[in-house]
Amino acid sequence: MSEGIFALLAALPIALIFILMAGLRQPATRAMPLAFLLTLLLAVFVWNTHWNWIAAASLNGVVIAIKILLIVFGALTLLFTLRESGAIAVINRYFTSISPDKRVQAIIITWLFGSFLEGAAGFGTPAAIAAPLLLSLGFPALAAVMVALIANSTAVSFGAVGTPTLIGIGATLNLPGVEASLAGADLTYAEFIHQVGVWSAIQHAIPGIFVPAIMMGMLTRFFGKNKSFREGLKIFPFAIFAGLAFMVPYVLVAVFMGPEFPSVIGGLTGLLIVVPAARAGFLIPKKSWEFPERSAWEKHWTGNISMDAAQPGKKNMSLGMAWLPYVLIGVLLVLTRIRTLPLNSWLMSVKLQVTQVFGSGVNIDFDPLYNPGIIPFMLISLLAALLYGMSRQQISVAWGEAIQRIKGPAIALVFAVPMVRLMMQSGNNPGDIAGMPVMMASYMSDVFQGAWPFVSPFVGALGSFIAGSNAVSNMLFSLFQYSVAEQTGLSRIIIVSLQNVGGSLGNMIAVHNIIAACATVGLVGVEGIILKRNAIPLLILAAMAGVVGLFLSYVILPGLF
């Protein structure tokens, strides 16, 4: 069987997901079990994957799904705790006081605050917090998820204190052959990874500046009264300003400090610049933009979570007290993610681990205290209940509703993540046939060859779509991208950086990110709509990155290692 046929067969589960969710608007609870079944059949009858690897990969997928569900559950408990206490009403008034314009609110919460959260924690945390916040401000649930996922893109290359770059690429390419090539170029491995971080940030720069503007065009086109991109373009100057306020410090930190803090410092710096500017009305149109009357909302815009601000919480709560849980979350996320601090090693020392599952090479591990769903989300939810003096009934309502909301997403994720892990491990077969993701990427490299810098970010995005993580996409494809660059004489630093850029952009269409974000606002059965709509900004931004990559590879830096 030819490589092209294998690549076509490997793409079938992905095509099925797009057809069912984006084309036929089937819910993820129906699409993901079918996609998993198709992947299983391909692994058994086409790839002839060893049964112990199939079982181990599937079990590992279930464990990862549980990790994701803990994050979602923790985000929901925090959301409902703040709602029941009345803190959400205070936060709403604060954001409205900055600007009543929903476009401005979306940029500040998802692009700046969300990027800070991505830099501190990653792993779905930004959308899990930003989407419910937007919901509480009167956004339709569907709009909240769409913009939260679009915004959670550029920051992802340096999410969780640099994990996709330092671990996703750094651990994957740490091979004798790579180090020998670096030695021949008078580069250390640490310098190589630093340069990958630098060029990832630089190649993010142009697409990144435009993310808020594209996000606003999507918001007004699909959720405005007039369904017009123009209403998004009216805030174009402010959106570009917000893009620059994040991207400039983001690039500078990557160049001078390394991959750990570009997103954290970029997000915080952006907030310090943009919030006062928004209060002063800088570059904001005089006419505020608002959603149409709720009675005119389309049926699929709303979820089953009520965010009525009129809760029986404290009526005289201060703004500082209302924001305190989020401040504590930000502090704890940073303190627990810096690898040189003792708190990080202490949390990670509590580990459940099984190695060589079913005699395969698959290892399953679970760090319960390091999961952001438990620390800080659930921990801060309990602490907030004490700080706010909530009654036992209010606490029971908050946690009980979180349990109810998690049931639907659990079904989808328990099939979605094992499907991904099975695709990744399908290469463990007696015929030494490359695994499904590598087979697809390899075929693409044969087809596009000299145009590879343009295609490279799309491969990274494909990895994130499949795996739901830029770090995992980098683990899947970094060595492949490095090898393509080596064989074609292109800069290995530039091509691997483009993989990192594409993986972060692909985050906005990763299926289990969509499922998880929908769960935080009570949306069911609309995952396909978000997938189809978010594919638009993904294609635009990945194409931008590809053009930058071509220019750097062939014009500016053809001799870069």
Side-chain angles (χ1 to χ4, degrees):
M1 196 181 297
S2 70
E3 184 183 76
I5 298 297
F6 273 114
L8 178 63
L9 291 171
L12 287 179
I14 297 172
L16 181 63
I17 291 169
F18 267 100
I19 291 168
L20 291 177
M21 293 176 61
L24 302 178
R25 294 195 177 184
Q26 294 295 308
T29 50
R30 193 170 301 161
M32 298 320 301
L34 291 172
F36 171 77
L37 178 60
L38 177 57
T39 305
L40 178 62
L41 292 173
L42 288 169
V44 172
F45 294 109
V46 178
W47 266 259
N48 297 314
T49 307
H50 298 297
W51 275 102
N52 60 327
W53 283 87
I54 290 174
S58 300
L59 181 60
N60 190 27
V62 171
V63 172
I64 294 171
I66 291 170
K67 294 179 185 179
I68 297 168
L69 288 166
L70 280 171
I71 296 173
V72 175
F73 179 75
L76 287 172
T77 58
L78 178 67
L79 170 67
F80 295 137
T81 297
L82 296 181
R83 185 192 66 185
E84 294 298 312
S85 69
I88 281 291
V90 177
I91 291 170
N92 286 352
R93 290 196 294 271
Y94 167 71
F95 277 112
T96 304
S97 72
I98 293 174
S99 173
D101 195 308
K102 297 300 183 191
R103 298 168 297 186
V104 176
Q105 294 171 3
I107 289 171
I108 291 173
I109 293 172
T110 64
W111 174 244
L112 299 172
F113 184 49
S115 292
F116 163 75
L117 292 173
E118 175 61 40
F123 302 106
T125 305
I129 291 182
L133 259 179
L134 293 180
L135 183 71
S136 73
L137 284 165
F139 280 64
L142 189 66
V145 171
M146 184 188 77
V147 296
L149 288 171
I150 293 171
N152 188 211
S153 50
T154 307
V156 176
S157 288
F158 305 106
V161 201
T163 296
T165 302
L166 293 171
I167 306 299
I169 295 173
T172 303
L173 292 182
N174 194 7
L175 302 167
V178 174
E179 293 201 356
S181 297
L182 288 167
D186 291 327
L187 276 173
T188 66
Y189 191 72
E191 289 169 340
F192 170 67
I193 294 302
H194 179 79
Q195 285 299 308
V196 168
V198 168
W199 288 102
S200 294
I202 291 171
Q203 291 180 104
H204 262 305
I206 292 177
I209 290 168
F210 289 97
V211 169
I214 292 171
M215 187 170 69
M216 291 303 96
M218 295 288 291
L219 183 66
T220 59
R221 167 61 183 85
F222 291 107
F223 297 96
K225 182 179 179 181
N226 302 316
K227 299 290 178 71
S228 168
F229 283 113
R230 289 184 179 180
E231 291 178 331
L233 292 176
K234 286 179 180 177
I235 203 166
F236 186 83
F238 179 81
I240 295 297
F241 167 66
L244 287 166
F246 172 75
M247 291 308 307
V248 171
Y250 171 94
V251 172
L252 290 175
V253 171
V255 172
F256 294 107
M257 294 178 65
E260 288 90 348
F261 295 111
S263 297
V264 171
I265 295 177
L268 282 177
T269 305
L271 284 169
L272 292 173
I273 294 170
V274 173
V275 170
R279 280 189 180 279
F282 180 66
L283 298 177
I284 297 174
K286 291 182 180 179
K287 184 178 179 182
S288 291
W289 184 85
E290 180 58 89
F291 296 103
E293 291 293 325
R294 190 174 290 263
S295 59
W297 288 9
E298 296 174 27
K299 185 178 179 181
H300 60 267
W301 286 13
T302 56
N304 52 25
I305 290 178
S306 169
M307 288 307 298
D308 182 7
Q311 295 297 329
K314 292 185 177 181
K315 303 300 181 185
N316 58 347
M317 186 184 298
S318 68
L319 178 62
M321 183 61 76
W323 267 105
L324 185 59
Y326 288 115
V327 173
L328 292 175
I329 282 171
V331 170
L332 273 176
L333 285 173
V334 172
L335 292 178
T336 56
R337 267 58 188 175
I338 297 176
R339 296 174 183 84
T340 55
L341 294 181
L343 189 56
N344 175 271
S345 56
W346 179 74
L347 292 179
M348 294 192 74
S349 68
V350 181
K351 184 186 289 286
L352 306 173
Q353 189 170 31
V354 181
T355 58
Q356 309 293 311
V357 179
F358 302 132
S360 70
V362 175
N363 300 325
I364 296 177
D365 61 78
F366 179 41
D367 311 308
L369 299 183
Y370 195 68
N371 185 291
I374 297 174
I375 296 177
F377 286 0
M378 292 187 210
L379 175 64
I380 297 301
S381 297
L382 292 171
L383 182 60
L386 293 174
L387 289 172
Y388 295 147
M390 292 173 64
S391 68
R392 186 174 296 179
Q393 182 182 0
Q394 287 175 308
I395 298 170
S396 177
V397 168
W399 285 70
E401 191 165 348
I403 292 170
Q404 284 296 114
R405 303 301 180 199
I406 206 69
K407 293 177 181 177
I411 296 170
L413 284 170
V414 163
F415 285 98
V417 187
M419 179 202 77
V420 167
R421 307 311 291 192
L422 186 51
M423 291 183 79
M424 291 169 61
Q425 300 295 355
S426 58
N428 294 287
N429 56 69
D432 289 328
I433 305 167
M436 296 182 200
V438 175
M439 188 63 78
M440 285 186 282
S442 179
Y443 181 71
M444 288 172 66
S445 72
D446 291 341
V447 172
F448 292 101
Q449 295 182 357
W452 190 250
F454 183 81
V455 178
S456 179
F458 290 92
V459 172
L462 172 67
S464 286
F465 170 74
I466 295 171
S469 161
N470 190 16
V472 178
S473 176
N474 288 344
M475 290 176 190
L476 268 175
F477 291 133
S478 286
L479 182 57
F480 166 76
Q481 298 260 24
Y482 179 95
S483 301
V484 171
E486 194 171 42
Q487 291 165 16
T488 55
L490 294 164
S491 166
R492 283 155 276 189
I493 289 173
I494 295 297
I495 297 301
V496 173
S497 301
L498 285 167
Q499 157 65 34
N500 201 17
V501 171
S504 67
L505 296 176
N507 202 63
M508 66 179 75
I509 62 161
V511 174
H512 57 68
N513 286 350
I514 293 173
I515 296 168
C518 284
T520 64
V521 294
L523 280 171
V524 179
V526 297
E527 298 90 351
I529 297 174
I530 295 168
L531 177 60
K532 185 162 61 175
R533 290 180 180 175
N534 281 12
I536 298 170
L538 167 64
L539 293 173
I540 294 170
L541 295 166
M544 283 182 168
V547 170
V548 172
L550 281 170
F551 190 66
L552 290 174
S553 297
Y554 289 111
V555 180
I556 303 296
L557 297 164
L560 184 67
F561 178 85

